[in-house]
Amino acid sequence: MLENARKYERDGLKQIPEGQKPSFHVCAPVGWINDPNGFSVYKGEYHLFYQYHPYKTVWGPMHWGHSKSKDFIKWEQLPCALAPDTGYDGQGCFSGSAVEHDGKHMLMYTGVLNKVQEDGTRLLRQTQCIAVGDGVNYEKLDTNPVITGDFLPEGSSREDFRDPKIWIEGEDFYAVIGSRSEETGGQIVLFTSQDAKNWKYAGIIEESRNEYGEVWECPDFFYIDGKQVLLISPTEMMADGLEFHNGNSTIYILGDYDKGNHKLIRERVAAIDYGLDFYAPQTLETADGRRIMVAWMQSWDNYLTPPSFQWSGLMTVPRELHVKNGLLYQNPVRELENYYQKEVKYDAVTINGEKEPDGIKGRQFDLTVEVEARDYEEFAVRFAADDKYYSILRYNPKANTVTFDRTYSGLRKDILHKRSINVKEQKGKIKLRILMDKYTVEVFVNDGEQAMTSLIYTPLEADRIRFLSKGEVKCSIVKYDVAAE
């Protein structure tokens, strides 16, 4: 199965029209990708795997696709790494993670068994498995699965038990895994091992308490800037104001970690990203100590891929994380600046109505607008625009909201087009950074205090950028073209 997938991948890559894909975002080679997996450092390079169905542009039996980079921006496509080809993972190699150990690259993933038994009943089990390799080729352990549902406490689901995040601390291996409790909903369980083959259940580090979704997927757990952070992707969320939206969402829980009792002491629960297309974030730590996050840039409930495309799915730009003032900040990795071209800068621009400054256009750019504090009704940036199409980012200083709207981006489906977030009150002052790579729209508010990630598939010829206001606005504008092709 793996060799079949690799051959299909090689042949399919030749069929993708040149210039169709974004240049500095990881995309599906061919077929479908979703959750990032195995985001890790191996032999000084950054490896990113992802859930992968090479044969169609929709979800199917999960493989692991594979890319690598030296700088998070320019990515090299590597052959498919895992295929569902054993009894314990025959219906899918689901999400997981990776570490470097003893010169080898160790992948930990969820194997899915889903079959009809002789008595007609269906057996569904999700277990945790290990594969070890050299950065290209990987062998599954003969002792797989290394963790089964039998390790879990009473009342925990054996069917929803997935997405291990493995790390090494001292001489020991640790893994947090997403799960579901019959009583409390989503939960994150912790396991420990001395050899990555023999594991012990350690405890439940955090749980939903029936507040945040039904199943907690894709956990990540790390210490940064004096705080412990848990990233999770809950399913079946209920909307809560503008903080959380319905369906599959993403949450960070900030606090202190009681390591002796394996409990996260919760201080803050908030959304990781407020856009329309963001799920399943995963992080790594660089050699210089930075915590870098990447996520799947798509929503399960809003399928946007144009029917002419032979690939579906892409990842966000990798982002540097920090904790400041009790909040999780995120901004594009600094390596992006190495790909800047053609700076265009305007200081103290006055806008009262509409303005389209010379040199401000394109579909692959990094644009920052800083608006001064003053009295006005609305400020907006309209981009990916021509006489027919556009998407727009609006700031309402009275309501303290930022809204992304892709209603007129060219989509022909009755799906979600608009989302708003609450931002801090600054008497009309705001800083908006918009990063675009053809179809990707990543917005960072007030130096990364909040982020909004969304997709558009507007024709690439629509590349105008306009600034609009209701009332007089004074702002500064800095824009760079970005290209890594």
Side-chain angles (χ1 to χ4, degrees):
M1 288 187 69
L2 183 61
E3 287 306 317
N4 288 342
R6 287 180 167 186
K7 183 181 185 305
Y8 191 90
E9 183 178 71
R10 288 193 301 270
D11 294 341
L13 281 166
K14 299 173 185 176
Q15 308 303 316
I16 307 297
E18 185 176 355
Q20 185 183 75
K21 291 184 177 181
S23 72
F24 56 94
H25 286 70
V26 171
C27 303
V30 64
W32 161 281
I33 68 170
N34 57 284
D35 306 357
N37 300 156
F39 192 36
S40 57
V41 183
Y42 178 63
K43 293 188 175 180
E45 295 181 307
Y46 305 115
H47 286 254
L48 178 61
F49 304 81
Y50 28 83
Q51 293 286 269
Y52 181 33
H53 180 52
Y55 304 109
K56 292 183 179 180
T57 57
V58 293
W59 191 93
M62 285 291 95
H63 299 56
W64 273 36
H66 190 189
S67 301
K68 74 172 182 178
S69 174
K70 294 181 179 179
D71 64 1
F72 295 116
I73 303 299
K74 196 163 188 174
W75 292 89
E76 175 187 350
Q77 187 65 53
L78 295 176
C80 179
L82 295 176
D85 55 10
T86 72
Y88 54 81
D89 68 10
Q91 285 69 57
C93 297
F94 275 18
S95 291
S97 51
V99 291
E100 183 173 2
H101 179 63
D102 288 343
K104 296 292 186 179
H105 203 199
M106 180 183 294
L107 315 183
M108 190 174 193
Y109 70 97
T110 297
V112 178
L113 170 65
N114 187 355
K115 67 178 183 179
V116 177
Q117 302 181 96
E118 291 184 2
D119 63 1
T121 61
R122 180 169 293 278
L123 177 65
L124 172 60
R125 290 290 183 268
Q126 296 182 350
T127 58
Q128 317 315 317
C129 311
I130 297 283
V132 179
D134 60 3
V136 177
N137 298 302
Y138 296 84
E139 294 290 334
K140 300 173 184 178
L141 295 188
D142 292 338
T143 53
N144 280 336
V146 295
I147 302 175
T148 70
D150 295 336
F151 289 64
L152 293 169
E154 191 70 26
S156 297
S157 172
R158 272 67 171 161
E159 293 82 18
D160 293 311
F161 177 43
R162 54 184 175 267
D163 313 334
K165 176 60 190 283
I166 188 174
W167 74 95
I168 301 172
E169 197 172 314
E171 298 295 320
D172 296 324
F173 293 87
Y174 294 82
V176 286
I177 305 172
S179 181
R180 174 175 58 85
S181 164
E182 293 176 359
E183 293 185 359
T184 63
Q187 62 183 18
I188 301 300
V189 290
L190 176 69
F191 291 84
T192 63
S193 175
Q194 295 182 330
D195 59 6
K197 297 178 182 179
N198 300 285
W199 291 83
K200 294 180 180 179
Y201 168 77
I204 298 171
I205 63 169
E206 181 59 295
E207 55 192 343
S208 169
R209 307 171 197 173
N210 291 317
E211 294 179 287
Y212 305 106
E214 293 300 315
V215 182
W216 280 8
E217 298 187 316
C218 305
D220 205 333
F221 194 53
F222 53 88
Y223 184 79
I224 181 175
D225 298 328
K227 288 297 175 183
Q228 195 74 25
V229 180
L230 175 64
L231 307 183
I232 52 175
S233 296
T235 70
E236 301 179 57
M237 281 282 289
M238 295 288 288
D240 182 4
L242 297 182
E243 186 64 28
F244 302 120
H245 59 80
N246 293 323
N248 293 77
S249 191
T250 59
I251 288 177
Y252 73 86
I253 302 177
L254 194 68
D256 294 318
Y257 183 44
D258 180 354
K259 191 172 182 179
N261 292 309
H262 306 301
K263 294 291 184 183
L264 178 62
I265 302 170
R266 183 188 300 184
E267 294 178 6
R268 181 180 180 84
V269 182
I272 302 171
D273 190 282
Y274 297 83
L276 294 164
D277 298 291
F278 183 96
Y279 196 66
Q282 189 172 112
T283 75
L284 62 73
E285 185 177 19
T286 63
D288 59 5
R290 290 179 292 157
R291 180 62 59 170
I292 309 297
M293 179 182 73
V294 70
W296 180 39
M297 199 171 184
Q298 190 162 300
S299 166
W300 284 112
D301 294 326
N302 293 311
Y303 182 79
L304 308 181
T305 304
S308 62
F309 280 22
Q310 298 176 58
W311 59 276
S312 177
L314 60 166
M315 302 297 166
T316 64
V317 72
R319 303 172 183 180
E320 296 186 23
L321 300 183
H322 290 284
V323 172
K324 294 187 291 184
N325 305 318
L327 300 171
L328 185 67
Y329 281 68
Q330 52 189 297
N331 283 293
V333 288
R334 62 195 68 173
E335 287 86 348
L336 182 70
E337 298 173 10
N338 296 329
Y339 295 87
Y340 281 174
Q341 302 173 1
K342 191 183 176 183
E343 180 188 63
V344 181
K345 187 175 183 180
Y346 290 90
D347 294 317
V349 177
T350 299
I351 301 171
N352 195 346
E354 182 174 332
K355 189 178 287 287
E356 191 171 344
D358 291 341
I360 305 291
K361 63 184 299 185
R363 287 288 289 272
Q364 292 179 282
F365 62 81
D366 192 351
L367 170 72
T368 298
V369 185
E370 194 159 5
V371 180
E372 293 182 5
R374 57 174 55 204
D375 187 33
Y376 58 94
E377 290 184 32
E378 184 179 87
F379 172 75
V381 184
R382 184 181 289 186
F383 48 89
D386 59 13
D387 293 336
K388 182 176 182 179
Y389 304 111
Y390 68 87
S391 294
I392 193 165
L393 189 70
R394 294 187 176 93
Y395 170 54
N396 184 324
K398 310 298 183 184
N400 294 311
T401 57
V402 169
T403 300
F404 170 77
D405 187 347
R406 64 184 177 197
T407 302
Y408 301 103
S409 66
L411 292 172
R412 295 178 181 269
K413 295 182 178 180
D414 185 19
I415 61 173
L416 196 62
H417 294 292
K418 185 188 301 186
R419 185 162 286 152
S420 299
I421 61 171
N422 292 122
V423 297
K424 66 183 177 184
E425 200 283 321
Q426 297 184 102
K427 298 180 179 179
K429 179 181 178 182
I430 196 164
K431 188 173 183 180
L432 300 171
R433 182 178 179 183
I434 305 171
L435 181 65
M436 278 205 73
D437 189 5
K438 295 184 179 176
Y439 321 109
T440 67
V441 184
E442 295 170 90
V443 178
F444 303 89
V445 181
N446 292 329
D447 294 307
E449 187 173 272
Q450 292 164 294
M452 302 180 78
T453 300
S454 303
L455 284 173
I456 60 172
Y457 284 102
T458 308
L460 296 179
E461 295 77 21
D463 63 354
R464 295 169 65 183
I465 302 172
R466 302 167 186 163
F467 302 89
L468 306 95
S469 70
K470 295 179 181 178
E472 187 174 277
V473 168
K474 185 168 283 189
C475 64
S476 63
I477 304 169
V478 180
K479 182 244 179 189
Y480 299 93
D481 291 340
V482 184
E485 292 173 316

